[in-house]
Amino acid sequence: MNLVARLQKNLGAGQAAPQRVAQRPPEAVVKRYSQSDEYYEIKTKIHDRLINMLDLSVLDKLESDELKAEIAKLVERLIKEEFSSAPLNSAERHVLKLEIQDEILGLGPLEPFLKDPTVNDILVNTYKQIYVERSGRLEMTQARFKDDVHLRKIIDRIVSSVGRRVDESSPMVDARLADGSRVNAIIPPLAIDGPALSIRKFSKDPLELADLIGFKALTPEMGEIMQGIVKARLNVLISGGTGSGKTTLLNVLSRFIPAHERIVTIEDAAELQLKQDHVVRLETRPMNIEGKGEIGQRDLVRNCLRMRPDRIIIGECRGPEALDMLQAMNTGHDGSLTTIHANTPRDALMRLETMVSMAGLNLAGASLRRFISSAINVIIQATRLGDGSRKVISFQEITGMEGEMITMQEIYAFEQTGVDAEGKVVGHFKSRGIRPKFATRLESLGIRFTGAHFAPGNLG
């Protein structure tokens, strides 16, 4: 008996599964999340009955379309046999089938947002509140879970798929979905009002430099210089707040690393999307249920130095691994890239000092700053502005030390001049008219640019 026949037997169905699933009608999508409590009760009962009838061992072996079709047929049959008196119109029945498919095969009410390319973040505050971010703006949706238990089931499904767990002894967890999307979950007693879930979606089509220029996140002149500093193997620190586009910018810069170089990436949750072939991706591991076995970023940075990397890319520098990263930059592994949470380039340097101190390195303040200034060449500051747009607002070169202070010079900046009638930020990119010290290094490598790249005045 083939798999489809076995599933039909368990479902009690007598007809072959159709090979294609009908497209979702627009009215069903519109009405999808405006359902009553009675609707959720009906959906829960049908879902529970369906789970009891399905042979779960068969599900993993079937094609998605076949399985969706069989589930839709069974839901229709259960509605007719056991819920014929339920006040559901045809559109609600169609939505019910879709939602139960999502419950069994996906992440329930979150599934449509995961499939929506316009959604960047999915934020679940409580089972009744689901927000999404589109174009940098947060908006509340009509989606909801049935209750806290329903939300916990979805969280457990996510974290168990990557070998993680979340319970009272470990109420916080970082994980990722099969497509690479980054997930954070936190449950009571830490989350007072109920479980909370945050998903940063993984872009299937990562942005390129031309896209950032099109979005006016930077100018062509800035893009050409960024391309040059990566090819010239300068060490780059990308600074910015949460959601400012640091990882996107890191991905874009990584495109300019020559294909023949060996790249090692180190991340807490793997989300970088490098297009080169010669890439080794490393990811940290949390402690197990006994509190042992944790492998942090510092361990991975030390290990990658034995892997003969040409470039080291650290997804986000957030702890004592900063010391090992700076030592690598100072000992021949130039051309390295990383990001850091900070609101200004100067704040980024202060954070680096703090993180190096966490590693137990006992250096005087001036010596530590000299160590940092000799490792980092360029700081790129990314920011999410009030209208939700992301921009590179400062591009600075570290020039050395003056007394006990690290000195920097700003090459490019974005200056906001106001807000228009639609709430969009108005401003312009400026060149400060400073020729950076690294320009000589770029020229020596045959990377050409014109005087217009550094001429004072507005860009673009």
Side-chain angles (χ1 to χ4, degrees), residues 24 77 122 127 158 186 233 235 342 348 350-351 360 411:
R24 301 179 180 185
R77 200 189 81 186
I122 304 169
Y127 75 89
I158 293 171
I186 184 167
R233 302 183 65 87
N235 294 319
M350 292 174 60
R351 282 213 68 200
I411 312 302

Side-chain angles (χ1 to χ4, degrees), residues 243-306:
S244 60
K246 299 186 300 298
T247 303
T248 298
L249 195 52
L250 183 59
N251 269 322
V252 168
L253 293 184
S254 73
R255 301 284 188 272
F256 309 127
I257 298 175
H260 66 271
E261 294 188 8
R262 176 175 170 83
I263 306 169
V264 179
T265 68
I266 298 168
E267 301 174 83
D268 272 336
E271 57 180 331
L272 291 175
Q273 297 168 279
L274 275 67
K275 291 191 174 181
Q276 292 85 343
D277 292 326
H278 199 167
V279 178
V280 178
R281 304 170 70 212
L282 306 180
E283 185 179 48
T284 61
R285 184 180 73 183
M287 64 181 67
N288 59 23
I289 194 170
E290 298 174 349
K292 300 178 181 178
E294 180 179 12
I295 305 293
Q297 284 200 142
R298 190 173 191 190
D299 302 308
L300 295 179
V301 173
R302 288 172 170 173
N303 185 80
C304 88
L305 295 177
R306 305 184 184 100

Side-chain angles (χ1 to χ4, degrees), residues 218-219 221-226 229 234 345 377-381 392-399 407-415 428-440 442 449-459:
L218 48 88
T219 69
E221 296 89 347
M222 295 167 66
E224 289 171 8
I225 296 302
M226 289 181 186
I229 64 175
L234 272 64
N377 302 114
V378 172
I379 300 179
I380 300 173
Q381 183 71 37
V392 173
I393 64 164
S394 184
F395 182 102
Q396 301 208 19
E397 178 188 33
I398 293 180
T399 56
T407 56
M408 295 185 289
Q409 56 184 11
E410 189 169 62
I411 312 302
Y412 301 115
F414 176 79
E415 294 184 353
H428 47 257
F429 290 96
K430 292 184 70 73
S431 170
R432 297 303 189 192
I434 297 173
R435 180 183 170 86
K437 290 185 175 181
F438 62 68
T440 303
L442 268 60
F449 47 85
T450 67
H453 286 84
F454 306 120
N458 295 346
L459 298 171

Side-chain angles (χ1 to χ4, degrees), residues 27-56:
E27 65 272 12
V29 176
V30 172
K31 291 186 175 182
R32 185 160 186 182
Y33 293 114
S34 57
Q35 312 298 347
S36 64
D37 289 338
E38 185 178 9
Y39 170 87
Y40 281 97
E41 289 296 330
I42 294 171
K43 187 177 84 168
T44 301
K45 290 177 182 178
I46 292 177
H47 177 259
D48 293 342
R49 287 278 288 113
L50 192 61
I51 291 297
N52 291 333
M53 299 175 72
L54 285 172
D55 181 354
L56 298 179

